[in-house]
Amino acid sequence: MGKINSFQKRTLLISAIVILIVVALGVAISILFSNTLERFVWDTKIKNIKNMVQSQSLSHIGRPEYLAHWQTKEAEKAFQNFSGEMSEAYITAVAKKIYNIDSILVWSDRVPDRIGQVEEPQDAFEALKGTVKYERAEPEIEQEMGIKNLMEVYVPIYLGLEKPVGVVEIYFDISEQLSFLRQMRLMVYCFVFLAILLIFFILHITFRKQNEMILRQGRDLVALIENAPIGIFTIDANGVVASVNPAMLKIAGFKNEKQFLGKNVFENAIYKKTGLDKLFRKGLAGKPFDNEIEYFFPVSRKKCFRHYRAVPIFKHNEKIIDGLLVLVEDATARAEAEEKLMKYQGDLEALVKEKTAGLEMEVKKHEQTADSLRASEEKYRTTIENVADVIYSMTPEGEITFISPNVSFLGYSESDVVGRNMSEFIHPDDYKMVLDDLKRSIETKISIISIFRLRKNDGNYLWVEERGDFKMENDKIVLLSGVLRDISERKVSEAKIKELNQLKNKFIQIVGHQLRTPLNSMRWNLESLLGEDLGGLKDAQKEFIRLVYDADVEIIQRIHDMLTAMDIEEGRVVFEKEEISLESLWGSVMVEFLKKCKIKNLQCEYLPPAEPLPPVSVDTEKIRDVLEKLTDNAVIYTPPKGKIRATFKVLDKKVRFEVTDSGIGIPAIEQSKIYNRFFRATNAPAMKPDASGLGLSIAKYFVEQHGGKIGFSSTEGKGSTFWFELPIV
């Protein structure tokens, strides 16, 4: 089957590549090992130096004060003892310096004239972080000391503390270590060179044997292909037949190789007609194929079947396709036998279908009967499980098709209801609402929830709650089903609660309005007394009347807040807005605010805005009430000698008012409830025992009704900042 490829060149190429890899790997290992050895030598030495420094500094220096106050004789003596001990321990240590935590040189046996100066600040500060640093000394230092190979080591001094209190810099002569490392590198290089020679010798022997084995296998492969019972041929990347075995010549009907070799498969008429040319292109594109082809011989017109299997042949880099290996098997006899078998199976299947048709009909009838029984059983079980409520189903037109026995609570039996329309039982005033609920449920794809009245058999009505669903086919409702629950008792309870709330609110309104008149009269009379309209008063009398006056004003304010809260709840609050500047409202509030601060000995201030505030549209009485409530709270809940600051500012087309105090603050766990009506923080009663807890809820409502926002930030025990914002006109 043609010439075989020579494996010797490929073997030599692979050998050369492997040798280069081994050499490169050996060099890399040599460098890595020598570097690792060098690091090990230095790390071991530095570790010993670090331990020695810590031990000797603790023994001879001992006190951190010596590093801070190094000018004393005791400190100098301690440093000399430490240096002497280090020199005895390391004869290669040629110079030593000691720095404190400010990188000031406090002692040196080499440059005593520099003591007191900042030396090597970067290296010293890096060592003060707790890291031992070592590096080759600069050439200038080596020249200055007259030693060719010097290493600088910076070691932190701890003196038994957690953080370093100073740094020792030691210069070592490392000539002996460098000589030792050079000798070790030479030994490593020699060892690697010998290892490479050994590997080369082993590879040479191995590849020679492998080459002989490959050549022997190649001869065996050629013999196997030549004697194979199936057709084998190869085509090159252009579709030209490159090799062919005798079995393929026989299958194709050729007498010798010349009739087949060198022909282009893309120009073969039979291959074009059967589509094999497309499969060959697919294979040369890198995709194997496995197809059976049916065609007629051109001369005899005899039908035949050929099974083609093909796999791409890649070049040595396994990326570029070099050709296609094609295996061809004559499948005519097998195909004819399969065709006869399929015909026989078809006849047998037809006979089986004919004999079993009646049996299938019977089985289907039994299955339908079983399904009906299961459906009936399921419906009955569902009814029993939900016996507490009434279950129903009805058509889209409202005709009831099923009702559970519990319908008896309406005074009906099942037969009284099934077949009738649901509209007959729904109260006329509720019918439209029920239809609207159904329509909304269909639009939102959410189950129906309705509350309406149903007519009982005696003509009376009771309230029910419906929870239903619907089944749709082709965008149309085909079935409605649901559950009805009697909620008459709940409705009665709700009506009673509503009636009691109305009575409560009415009572509060009457009492509040009736109390405000005499309380206001008392306030006016007390104001006259305090103004000494009826004659002079003693200081004690004035103080007594002032206390009564303050209590009267606070009661009036509480009644006002309670009535306002009721008006808010029942939607009776009216807003009469006008365009003003908030500073004009603040003027009257600030006078009272500063007066209350002075009485309670508080340091209060107002920071006016840098520029005049733009106008806002507000109900002046409502917003004045908000300002008063926020400032009053700041005064009430700030202990004497505390601080309060109020300010206005403009933020993003909004006017913002802030009041910040140093008071008791609000516990974090309670901050989410601070705007709830009647709510007071647990630490508030200690500052004011008898407050209503309505002020902030009213302020929030007034601000939000003006299109604004209100908020706060608070830390318990440190104080609070309350603010609100209103949009600029």
Side-chain angles (χ1 to χ4, degrees):
M1 184 180 170
K3 298 179 180 179
I4 64 170
N5 292 325
S6 175
F7 294 96
Q8 290 179 325
K9 292 183 179 180
R10 183 178 297 179
T11 302
L12 290 173
L13 179 61
I14 294 174
S15 301
I17 293 172
V18 171
I19 290 170
L20 288 175
I21 292 173
V22 170
V23 171
L25 187 62
V27 172
I29 291 174
S30 301
I31 295 172
L32 177 64
F33 183 82
S34 61
N35 290 340
T36 303
L37 179 63
E38 184 176 355
R39 283 198 301 271
F40 174 77
V41 170
W42 295 128
D43 289 345
T44 303
K45 184 175 182 63
I46 296 303
K47 185 177 180 181
N48 292 334
I49 293 171
K50 178 183 176 182
N51 294 336
M52 178 63 72
V53 166
Q54 302 309 323
S55 173
Q56 298 305 324
S57 64
L58 196 61
S59 300
H60 297 289
I61 299 176
R63 300 174 61 184
E65 299 85 70
Y66 288 154
L67 292 163
H69 305 289
W70 46 271
Q71 299 91 340
T72 63
K73 291 184 178 181
E74 293 84 358
E76 183 177 359
K77 184 177 180 181
F79 297 151
Q80 287 176 347
N81 292 338
F82 169 78
S83 174
E85 189 69 32
M86 293 301 298
S87 297
E88 290 179 7
Y90 295 101
I91 60 175
T92 57
V94 298
K96 294 166 285 297
K97 296 179 181 179
I98 302 176
Y99 305 89
N100 64 15
I101 60 174
D102 296 319
S103 190
I104 296 174
L105 182 65
V106 300
W107 191 87
S108 173
D109 60 356
R110 191 73 182 178
V111 285
D113 56 317
R114 297 181 190 172
I115 293 175
Q117 300 179 12
V118 175
E119 290 272 322
E120 305 288 350
Q122 183 175 355
D123 295 330
F125 283 135
E126 187 171 344
L128 283 169
K129 295 179 181 178
T131 304
V132 177
K133 181 179 179 181
Y134 62 92
E135 59 184 8
R136 285 292 297 269
E138 293 82 3
E140 306 89 344
I141 297 177
E142 292 180 345
Q143 187 176 0
E144 178 183 336
M145 292 189 179
I147 300 173
K148 188 176 181 180
N149 299 305
L150 275 180
M151 174 180 283
E152 301 176 64
V153 182
Y154 295 86
V155 184
I157 303 173
Y158 286 89
L159 296 182
L161 302 176
E162 293 183 358
K163 294 184 178 180
V165 296
V167 176
V168 174
E169 180 186 6
I170 308 175
Y171 291 89
F172 289 93
D173 183 352
I174 57 172
S175 301
E176 293 183 2
Q177 284 87 350
L178 292 178
S179 176
F180 169 74
L181 289 173
R182 282 194 292 270
Q183 293 174 4
M184 292 301 297
R185 284 197 186 94
L186 181 60
M187 291 178 62
V188 170
Y189 293 152
C190 292
F191 174 79
V192 172
F193 177 75
L194 292 174
I196 291 173
L197 287 178
L198 179 61
I199 292 171
F200 177 80
F201 179 75
I202 294 171
L203 288 175
H204 176 72
I205 296 174
T206 302
F207 277 107
R208 186 178 65 184
K209 291 183 178 179
Q210 184 179 8
N211 186 48
E212 292 174 356
M213 182 181 67
I214 291 172
L215 289 173
R216 184 173 62 254
Q217 290 177 346
R219 288 192 295 269
D220 294 340
L221 179 61
V222 170
L224 179 64
I225 292 174
E226 291 290 332
N227 298 305
I230 62 173
I232 303 173
F233 69 96
T234 61
I235 60 176
D236 63 18
N238 298 316
V240 177
V241 177
S243 62
V244 63
N245 75 338
M248 184 64 213
L249 294 175
K250 183 178 179 181
I251 291 173
F254 296 124
K255 294 181 180 180
N256 54 58
E257 292 182 352
K258 294 181 180 179
Q259 294 177 289
F260 199 72
L261 290 175
K263 306 296 182 182
N264 195 305
V265 295
F266 301 133
E267 299 173 358
N268 189 298
I270 294 178
Y271 291 168
K272 288 182 178 180
K273 187 175 181 180
T274 58
L276 270 171
D277 59 332
K278 296 179 181 177
L279 292 175
F280 289 142
R281 293 185 190 278
K282 177 182 176 182
L284 289 172
K287 298 179 180 179
F289 64 84
D290 187 345
N291 289 73
E292 189 162 292
I293 305 299
E294 175 185 351
Y295 65 92
F296 293 86
F297 272 115
V299 180
S300 63
R301 301 299 299 168
K302 181 181 178 183
K303 183 169 70 171
C304 62
F305 294 85
R306 300 286 186 267
H307 198 110
Y308 284 82
R309 298 181 181 88
V311 291
I313 301 172
F314 292 88
K315 290 187 178 180
H316 60 85
N317 59 7
E318 296 185 355
K319 291 184 179 180
I320 301 175
I321 296 175
D322 195 28
L324 196 65
L325 174 66
V326 185
L327 309 178
V328 184
E329 181 181 2
D330 188 354
T332 303
R334 176 179 54 77
E336 290 176 351
E338 288 177 352
E339 187 176 352
K340 291 179 181 179
L341 180 60
M342 288 179 63
K343 184 176 182 305
Y344 176 77
Q345 287 178 340
D347 294 340
L348 184 60
E349 287 175 358
L351 181 61
V352 171
K353 287 182 179 179
E354 182 181 352
K355 294 295 183 182
T356 58
L359 181 60
E360 289 178 352
M361 290 291 293
E362 290 297 324
V363 171
K364 190 172 182 180
K365 288 180 181 179
H366 284 297
E367 288 177 349
Q368 290 175 346
T369 302
D371 289 342
S372 299
L373 288 173
R374 282 194 294 271
S376 298
E377 181 183 353
E378 184 67 26
K379 184 184 294 184
Y380 179 72
R381 184 169 60 252
T382 303
T383 303
I384 294 302
E385 290 173 352
N386 295 278
V387 70
D389 300 319
V390 175
I391 304 169
Y392 73 89
S393 63
M394 62 182 179
T395 65
E397 292 76 23
E399 181 182 344
I400 300 171
T401 58
F402 171 79
I403 198 81
S404 64
N406 237 19
V407 74
S408 58
F409 83 88
L410 291 170
Y412 302 107
S413 65
E414 296 173 69
S415 58
D416 293 334
V417 177
V418 174
R420 295 172 65 177
N421 198 289
M422 181 65 83
S423 61
E424 298 179 31
F425 303 96
I426 299 175
H427 194 287
D429 295 342
D430 300 339
Y431 188 68
K432 183 178 182 304
M433 177 190 66
V434 174
L435 292 179
D436 291 341
D437 290 342
L438 174 60
K439 182 179 179 182
R440 184 165 51 255
S441 176
I442 295 171
E443 291 174 351
T444 59
K445 302 292 189 295
I446 299 174
S447 299
I448 306 164
I449 300 177
S450 290
I451 295 176
F452 54 90
R453 288 165 287 181
L454 279 180
R455 181 171 56 82
K456 299 172 64 177
N457 198 20
D458 60 6
N460 294 320
Y461 287 88
L462 56 77
W463 286 93
V464 296
E465 180 183 66
E466 176 193 36
R467 293 182 177 270
D469 211 337
F470 50 86
K471 180 180 180 182
M472 300 189 71
E473 292 181 3
N474 299 325
D475 295 331
K476 290 184 178 180
I477 298 176
V478 296
L479 181 68
L480 292 165
S481 60
V483 177
L484 297 172
R485 175 171 294 177
D486 182 3
I487 60 168
S488 300
E489 293 183 3
R490 190 175 83 190
K491 277 291 183 179
V492 171
S493 299
E494 289 174 355
K496 288 182 178 180
I497 292 172
K498 185 176 180 181
E499 183 180 354
L500 289 173
N501 279 334
Q502 290 175 345
L503 288 173
K504 177 199 70 175
N505 292 343
K506 190 66 176 177
F507 173 78
I508 293 173
Q509 285 178 339
I510 293 171
V511 172
H513 286 298
Q514 289 183 352
L515 285 176
R516 277 204 295 192
T517 300
L519 287 171
N520 279 322
S521 298
M522 289 173 61
R523 187 186 67 181
W524 298 330
N525 292 331
L526 291 169
E527 286 176 349
S528 297
L529 289 173
L530 288 172
E532 298 183 347
D533 294 340
L534 301 179
L537 295 173
K538 296 180 181 179
D539 291 340
Q541 292 172 332
K542 270 191 174 183
E543 180 61 20
F544 178 81
I545 294 173
R546 188 187 62 78
L547 292 174
V548 176
Y549 174 81
D550 290 343
D552 182 78
V553 171
E554 187 168 347
I555 293 172
I556 293 172
Q557 184 60 43
R558 289 190 189 179
I559 293 173
H560 172 73
D561 287 348
M562 188 172 296
L563 294 176
T564 301
M566 290 176 54
D567 289 341
I568 291 172
E569 182 181 0
E570 297 178 6
R572 292 195 300 269
V573 180
V574 178
F575 291 85
E576 297 178 357
K577 298 181 181 180
E578 60 179 327
E579 290 185 14
I580 63 164
S581 171
L582 287 181
E583 285 181 289
S584 63
L585 281 179
W586 170 247
S588 60
V589 176
M590 182 175 63
V591 172
E592 291 298 319
F593 166 60
L594 296 177
K595 187 188 299 182
K596 294 172 183 176
C597 289
K598 184 176 181 182
I599 292 172
K600 197 172 178 180
N601 193 20
L602 298 174
Q603 182 181 341
C604 299
E605 62 176 341
Y606 166 60
L607 302 178
E611 297 180 359
L613 295 177
V616 293
S617 178
V618 298
D619 184 319
T620 55
E621 291 301 318
K622 306 292 191 300
I623 298 304
R624 180 184 286 109
D625 197 12
V626 174
L627 292 169
E628 289 175 348
K629 291 185 187 306
L630 296 185
T631 53
D632 283 350
N633 280 352
V635 172
I636 291 169
Y637 297 109
T638 301
K641 297 183 181 181
K643 295 181 180 180
I644 301 176
R645 184 181 68 252
T647 184
F648 282 95
K649 59 182 72 173
V650 178
L651 298 173
D652 192 22
K653 297 183 180 180
K654 295 177 182 178
V655 176
R656 182 182 181 113
F657 172 76
E658 288 184 0
V659 57
T660 302
D661 62 63
S662 60
I664 61 174
I666 305 168
I669 197 172
E670 299 176 350
Q671 291 184 8
S672 61
K673 304 176 184 178
I674 202 66
Y675 292 114
N676 293 352
R677 288 198 307 166
F678 303 110
F679 177 80
R680 299 189 71 206
T682 52
N683 58 350
M687 300 295 292
K688 186 174 178 63
D690 54 349
S692 64
L694 289 171
L696 287 177
S697 65
I698 293 172
K700 183 175 185 294
Y701 176 79
F702 284 168
V703 171
E704 290 178 348
Q705 291 302 306
H706 283 81
K709 293 182 179 179
I710 188 170
F712 70 97
S713 60
S714 182
T715 302
E716 186 176 5
K718 294 185 178 180
S720 306
T721 296
F722 276 82
W723 56 266
F724 70 90
E725 296 174 344
L726 295 176
I728 297 171
V729 176

